[in-house]
Amino acid sequence: MTALPTPLTPERIEALFTRDGQYLCARWGRPVAPVIFGLGDDSLNLFRSVLGAACAHARVPMTEADPEMGANLMLFFCREWDELSALPDLDRLTGQPDLPQRLQAQSADHYQIMRFESRGAIRACLSFARMSGPLGQLHPAVLAETLAMRALLSFAVEITPSPDLAALIRAAYDPVLPDAARDPSHALRLAARMAQG
C-alpha cells in the first residue's frame, strides 16, 4: 500500500489522482447506499458505523437504497479470490468475466471498480477485499476506514488512512468545487482548502 507523505503539497495531491498521465478527481454526486457481503454480524455493524462516520465527515448523505440501483456501494469480502466465482452475475456486475482469475494471478489484496455519471461524479463503487492477505491483518476498524476512504474519491493509488487524507477528502467535497475535475490545477484548489482548515 502507498503511505501518504505529509504535508500534502499540490504536487502530491495531483499524483494521488493521476493515472496514465490523466488527472481525475471525482466525488459522489448522489447519496451512498452501501451493501456488504461476506462479513459476520459483529463486523458488519462495525463497518456500517465506520462508513457512516466517513460519509458524515465528507458531507455525503447515506441512504438505505438508491432509486436506480438499490445499492451503489458494494463491498465484497472473501478469503481467496476464487470464492468470487460463486457470486451470481459477477461477470455482468463487473463487466470483467475473468476477474477472480486475474486477481489471483496478480496476488492482489484489494480491487475497486468505479462507475461515473455523465457529468463525471461517482455513480457506483464495487470494492473487493481478500482477507487472507495483509488486509486481513488490519484491525477491523482500520480496515473499514481504509476501504471507506478509498471509495469516497477516485484515487489513482491505494491509500491508507491519515489525518491529511481525511482533510483532503473533506476539502474535495467543498460545495464550491465540481463533482469531477480533470484539470490538474484542481489540486491547487484542494491544497488551498486544506490550508484553510
Side-chain angles (χ1 to χ4, degrees), residues 1 11 28 56 106 126 162:
M1 291 186 226
E11 293 77 17
W28 285 84
Q106 296 166 7
L126 310 177
S162 75

Side-chain angles (χ1 to χ4, degrees), residues 61-90:
M62 275 184 63
T63 185
E64 287 298 316
D66 180 87
E68 295 178 24
M69 296 171 280
N72 56 27
L73 172 57
M74 301 183 185
L75 302 171
F76 298 87
F77 296 86
C78 60
R79 291 294 301 169
E80 297 295 346
W81 291 125
D82 57 6
E83 296 173 19
L84 295 180
S85 300
L87 291 175
D89 297 326
L90 179 68

Side-chain angles (χ1 to χ4, degrees), residues 30-42:
R30 61 174 66 201
V32 175
V35 64
I36 303 171
F37 302 94
L39 292 180
D41 289 343
D42 290 345

Side-chain angles (χ1 to χ4, degrees), residues 95-109:
Q96 302 180 37
D98 60 345
L99 181 61
Q101 293 81 5
R102 286 198 299 108
L103 294 177
Q104 187 72 36
Q106 296 166 7
S107 299
D109 294 311

Side-chain angles (χ1 to χ4, degrees), residues 40-74:
D41 289 343
D42 290 345
S43 296
L44 185 63
N45 292 334
L46 172 63
F47 266 73
R48 285 192 169 276
S49 176
V50 172
L51 278 173
C55 287
H57 172 78
R59 296 165 292 201
V60 186
M62 275 184 63
T63 185
E64 287 298 316
D66 180 87
E68 295 178 24
M69 296 171 280
N72 56 27
L73 172 57
M74 301 183 185

